[in-house]
Amino acid sequence: MMVGQRTRRCREYTGPAPQSVAIRAREPNKLPPEYLILESRKKEDALREMMKINLAQGFSDLKNEWERTTDKKILLNNVRQEVGNRLKAQEFSIEERRERLRDMLRQEEQHYLAAMEAAEETTLERQARMRERAKSLKEKRESERLQIVQNKYDQQFRAQCEELRTTLSKREQDIVCAERLEQLKLKGEEAKEQKAYDEMYAQLWEKDRQEKMAREEREAHAAHERNRETLDVLHKQMAALDTQKEEAKRLKEEELQLMKEQAALRKMEEQAAAEEKRRRQQEMRDMLDLSLKMKMRKKAKEEQEQLAFDLKMLEQLLEESRNEAKEQLQRKIELREEDRRYRDFLAHVVAEEKQKERELERLIQHEVEAAWQKRLDQWRTERLVRRKLLEEVMAGRNQQLQERLAENMRRKAENDRECQELRVAIEENRRYEAEQAMKRMADSRRYQGDLQDQIHYNDQMREERRRNDDYEFLMGMQAEKEYQERLKDALDNPIFERLHPMRRAMLNKQ
Amino acid sequence: MSLTLADDERYCFTVEWYEEMAARVRQFQFFYFVKAQSIEMYDIKNRKMFLRTSVKENNISPADLYLGNSINVCGRLLNIVDYGDDYTRRKLSAKKERTLGMIKPDAVDKLGQILDKICQKGFLISRLRMCRMNRNQALSFYQEHQSKPFLNALLDYVTSGPVVTFEIVGENAVGAWREAIGPTDPSAARKTAPTSIRAQYGQDVTFNAVHGSSDPGAAAREIEFFFPSSGPVPPNTARVGNCTCCIIKPSAVKAGMAGKIISAITEAGFQVGATQMFTLEKANAEEFLEVYKGVVHEYSAMVVELTSGPCLVLEICAPEGSPPVAPAFRELAGPTDPEIARHLRPRTLRALFGSDKIKNAIHCTDLPDDGQLEVEYFFRILDR
């Protein structure tokens, strides 16, 4: 497509020369000037139309709804009615069936009842049956009566036949006698049994009594034994007490001995200490003497040597002076002077020496003294230690003794307490014994009373039995007598209880 | 059925109760205390004790406690659906073994005698049903004989007419029932076990009168086939034509008189068109006996009797075109009161088998027109 042919969308048109532009005129407006008004009018119209339609629609909706619900209701009601009708019809049919059933059952029942009644007998039949029954009953009674008559005749014969009666009575008597014999025998057996029974009981009692006696003896023996044992125990305890006492005494003696020993020991120790001291002093003195002598000797020797040396030197010097003549004189004087001075000096030295010696002596003395003192001190301390040891030993011993004494005391107290307890136990035992004795006495007395009561009761029982026997015997006699009398009476006036009616009639006639 | 249970035992089951007021099934744990003679129900959902009562008031014996049975506790019909604990399962699963028995078409007319024999041998029938199998059902029932040569003949035979199937509960039920029916071949049975059922009622190997499950597994499968917990069942044989309804009441069933009564009915020339064992709930019993309400005084007692255990419902029919069967059967049943019956009709069923006005052995349709209604009620409405 060419460039110039292309359709333009804007109103500008470029010319052939540069910067030549033409603008197309704007087209006039197609819409009428009252377009907006018309448009709004149209919208309003449409709206109105719509609302009208809506109204109509709503109305028809309502109508439809109403119709539908009504239809539904109608249907429901119809159904309900139909169901109700059918139920009713069912009910009716059931009711009708029930009615029919009721009728049928009633009829049937009546029919059955009628049948039952028909099955029952009529009056006439009943009368006939009753007559029949009466007849049979009568016959039965007649036959029974005949039977009785027969029996009575039989009885009468038995009653009246003397021979039969005698034989019968004899027989009866025999039976009675036999039975009486039997009875007597039985009684004898019973008595025997009773006797055996009594004997057995007596035996049992005897045995029981013996057993009881044996038991009592046993018990007494046991009590005796117990008492003896208690006594033994007491004896033993007393012996123990004695031994304890002796022990205490012995302890005391021992203590005394110990004390004595202790004193002796102390004395001996003191002696030994003094001896020792003296000996040591002696020794010391000897040693000091020796050392002093040795020292003196040494000193003297040294002095001697010194003096010898000095003299030698002096001689040498003199020798030299002799050699020198001139000077000798001079020298002599000087020497003399010197000698004198020397002598003075020597004297001085000797004095000094002596002084020194004295000093030394004094010093030695002092030294010795100090040593001695030291030794003494040592000795003292040793002695002190020894004494302390001894004291400790003595204290230990003492303590031991004290302990032993305390132990003794304690044991003694225990012994005393045991003795006391023993005494109480003995007392208690004695009391218990007395009580037991009392109790035994009471038991025995009660037992005696029981026995007596039993004897009494037995006596009473025997008495009563005897009385009963007597009474029974009397009653038996009485009964026998009465029986005999009654028999006699019966034999004397016989009674006929059941007479034959004919006989009774005859008797009445008489 | 005698059970020797130790005294100090407690049995636990899971039971279901259909509560009418709330229209819902409630589950409970059900405890049976043998020594204390008491029972307890524990509400599983609400986790609390529901009731506790004595056995005497409810007449429940340990023999009633087996799976699938319905027991009546204070007016509530409880279905035992499962064992509640291992102990009970261990103790009772052997004692309460279940097996399936079937009376085959040729022996169905001897139903009464066979049932009587079963009762005499001490078996407990917990469920019973007369039905007709089609070929497919028969094939699936006899699937273990799938490849056998005699399958065709067997299928022809079992589909040729109605069969009566029943569940037997008892100690070692499978073995005992197989022993009772005898060997498969009736001629062999006549030699070896002459008192067995096949020996008495069977003809030959195919027509051998009765069937028994071979082992516990097969028994469970066959029971599930005929008495499924859900799903379709082979249809019952009720024709609902010229018929009347006869119910052998729970007391008579419990006393083992069902077989004798059925024998008496068949001997009197009536046909048993259909039969089934029902355990009625109170509502159903009331509905069924509606027509007697207000008519007889014993209505409530009748309801109680009818709900007291399993009852056997029979459809009594006569051939088409014969006179109505209901009045004739009523004649056979006799007066309601066995006392009157014994006086007036000593040969009637109630005279022979009834004990008092309530426990009068059978219920029969009273109104001639109601026979169909009652039969329909059981075989069309309740059997679904």
Side-chain angles (χ1 to χ4, degrees), chain A residues 90-91 94 96-102 104-105 108-109 111-113 115-116 119, chain B residues 290-296 330 334-335 340 343-345 366-370 373:
Chain A
Q90 170 87 357
E91 194 77 14
I94 285 175
E96 187 257 343
R97 274 168 65 201
R98 276 183 189 155
E99 198 56 45
R100 269 195 293 149
L101 184 70
R102 197 174 287 140
M104 195 178 129
L105 289 179
E108 210 171 49
E109 199 175 350
H111 174 70
Y112 284 139
L113 280 178
M116 292 283 274
Chain B
E290 200 174 30
V291 76
Y292 292 92
K293 190 174 184 179
V295 177
V296 291
R330 257 192 111 235
I340 297 174
H343 269 99
L344 297 178
R345 311 273 153 78
D366 281 323
L367 284 173
D369 312 340
D370 281 2
L373 269 177

Side-chain angles (χ1 to χ4, degrees), chain B residues 32-313:
Chain B
Y32 186 93
F33 298 91
V34 181
K35 191 178 185 181
Q37 290 283 294
S38 70
I39 52 179
E40 282 180 10
M41 284 170 71
Y42 180 80
D43 193 337
I44 294 171
K45 197 173 175 187
N46 295 331
R47 295 167 183 282
K48 60 183 180 187
M49 194 57 71
F50 181 70
L51 69 79
R52 181 180 289 154
T53 182
S54 164
V55 170
K56 283 167 205 147
E57 292 163 21
N58 298 291
N59 195 20
I60 299 168
S61 68
D64 293 332
L65 303 172
Y66 53 85
L67 291 197
N69 193 23
S70 300
I71 48 177
N72 200 331
V73 175
C74 298
R76 299 174 183 84
L77 195 71
L78 309 175
N79 290 312
I80 301 179
V81 295
D82 197 7
Y83 295 113
D85 56 8
D86 285 341
Y87 173 78
T88 314
R89 187 189 301 281
R90 206 171 56 245
K91 288 295 261 194
L92 297 187
S93 56
K95 275 182 182 154
K96 308 284 188 181
E97 202 176 58
R98 302 191 298 165
T99 188
L100 183 97
M102 182 168 82
I103 303 177
K104 294 179 181 176
D106 67 322
V108 165
D109 53 340
K110 307 208 177 59
L111 171 67
Q113 295 154 33
I114 295 176
L115 282 186
D116 193 29
K117 209 155 175 55
I118 291 170
C119 277
Q120 280 170 11
K121 285 187 186 283
F123 292 108
L124 180 73
I125 292 176
S126 59
R127 284 187 275 191
L128 181 142
R129 178 178 162 79
M130 183 188 271
C131 58
R132 186 191 284 276
M133 284 193 281
N134 58 31
R135 222 177 152 74
N136 281 341
Q137 287 165 338
L139 191 62
S140 66
F141 180 71
Y142 280 115
Q143 56 183 261
E144 73 233 30
H145 301 315
Q146 201 90 51
S147 55
K148 304 275 172 65
F150 55 80
L151 180 72
N152 220 4
L154 185 65
L155 294 188
D156 283 342
Y157 168 48
V158 293
T159 54
S160 66
V163 293
V164 179
T165 56
F166 43 87
E167 181 194 56
I168 292 172
V169 176
E171 191 170 353
N172 187 23
V174 176
W177 173 241
R178 282 195 79 79
E179 195 179 322
I181 61 179
T184 314
D185 189 354
S187 55
R190 275 177 211 113
K191 282 173 200 154
T192 56
T195 57
S196 64
I197 295 171
R198 276 175 181 158
Q200 290 179 1
Y201 305 108
Q203 293 163 23
D204 58 43
V205 179
T206 311
F207 296 81
N208 57 3
V210 285
H211 164 84
S213 303
S214 53
D215 56 77
R221 188 181 64 74
E222 289 168 8
I223 288 167
E224 190 60 26
F225 180 81
F226 279 110
F227 305 101
S229 41
S230 64
V233 286
N236 63 45
T237 53
R239 278 167 291 183
V240 197
N242 179 12
C243 63
T244 186
C245 175
C246 165
I247 303 175
I248 302 177
K249 293 192 172 185
S251 53
V253 172
K254 204 169 270 180
M257 295 191 289
K260 286 201 186 78
I261 292 172
I262 293 172
S263 298
I265 290 170
T266 45
E267 272 166 27
F270 293 96
Q271 289 177 2
V272 176
T275 177
Q276 191 166 345
M277 193 175 260
F278 286 94
T279 305
L280 289 183
E281 285 171 29
K282 200 179 175 207
N284 291 335
E286 278 175 349
E287 201 178 351
F288 177 71
L289 296 171
E290 200 174 30
V291 76
Y292 292 92
K293 190 174 184 179
V295 177
V296 291
H297 302 299
E298 302 88 4
Y299 168 72
S300 51
M302 282 164 79
V303 170
V304 168
E305 163 65 14
L306 210 53
T307 55
S308 67
C311 57
L312 202 58
V313 182

Side-chain angles (χ1 to χ4, degrees), chain A residues 5 77 81 133 187 193 217 222 233 237 239 308 361 406 417:
Chain A
Q5 279 180 333
N77 278 336
Q81 203 171 351
R133 194 172 149 81
K187 240 178 192 172
E193 259 177 29
E217 212 163 288
V233 168
Q237 278 168 352
E361 187 118 344
R417 197 166 48 70

Side-chain angles (χ1 to χ4, degrees), chain A residues 30-68:
Chain A
K30 277 182 214 156
L31 296 170
E34 68 272 35
Y35 166 73
L36 279 175
I37 300 166
L38 284 176
E39 204 54 25
S40 71
R41 252 183 222 156
K42 217 187 274 176
K43 260 185 199 163
E44 269 171 19
D45 283 349
L47 201 64
R48 211 173 295 129
E49 194 69 20
M50 203 62 209
M51 279 172 79
K52 213 181 275 173
I53 289 168
N54 255 359
L55 209 64
Q57 188 68 38
F59 186 65
S60 59
D61 274 1
L62 197 68
K63 237 169 25 184
N64 282 345
E65 185 66 22
W66 180 79
E67 272 181 6
R68 206 165 47 236

